[in-house]
Amino acid sequence: MEQSSHEKAQDVSGHELILSSRVIDTPVYNREGERLGHIDDLSIEKVGGRTIYAIMSFGGFLGIGERFHPVPWSLLDYDVAQGGFVVPIDQSALEGAPHYEADEIRELGGPKHLAYGESIYGYYGAYGAVPYW
């Protein structure tokens, strides 16, 4: 029986937990192996401790024009062989996904988090993401 990537990651690291500092800058690929970007930050639920979004970054040059895409954490699957996360989304679909500038992304968990969440999960629902609330 083939192991899931979760089981493979556990075999390599020796444990199931990872520090967020090791997740930041991890590359993100699509299923075809094309690099889409990298994890810039994580959005973590304060009370429950669940990771809700991986804030994916791509585009721009030296931080100018960079866009931040909150991708539901449930869509990311770690691939040990690639040393990065794999998402069921291609480049063109990601470009059309909800994205925000640096100052906007700070509001993601604020008072309007459900409005942001409806937009994000409304888009990624087609890929199997289920709202966290």
Side-chain angles (χ1 to χ4, degrees):
M1 176 185 247
E2 187 174 317
Q3 290 181 313
S4 70
S5 61
H6 169 77
E7 291 167 329
K8 289 177 186 175
Q10 185 178 1
D11 287 349
V12 171
S13 69
H15 49 84
E16 293 188 24
L17 303 178
I18 187 168
L19 297 173
S20 62
S21 59
R22 293 192 63 204
V23 175
I24 305 304
D25 291 328
T26 300
V28 177
Y29 301 93
N30 63 17
R31 288 183 176 154
E32 289 72 39
E34 300 168 315
R35 185 179 169 143
L36 300 174
H38 67 276
I39 304 297
D40 190 76
D41 210 341
L42 299 173
S43 180
I44 302 169
E45 186 181 49
K46 271 186 181 180
V47 176
R50 293 181 299 164
T51 301
I52 303 300
Y53 303 113
I55 309 301
M56 199 177 126
S57 174
F58 74 90
F61 180 71
L62 299 175
I64 300 170
E66 192 171 32
R67 297 186 303 178
F68 299 94
H69 295 254
V71 177
W73 183 254
S74 61
L75 293 182
L76 281 81
D77 188 29
Y78 190 76
D79 184 319
V80 174
Q82 288 188 347
F85 293 97
V86 176
V87 292
I89 304 161
D90 63 25
Q91 183 76 36
S92 62
L94 186 60
E95 288 173 359
H99 60 277
Y100 306 95
E101 301 295 323
D103 58 332
E104 294 174 303
I105 205 70
R106 290 182 192 96
E107 296 299 318
L108 187 65
K112 297 180 183 178
H113 72 94
L114 289 180
Y116 282 103
E118 287 175 5
S119 174
I120 295 164
Y121 282 94
Y123 187 85
Y124 289 109
Y127 300 96
V130 178
Y132 67 93
W133 59 90

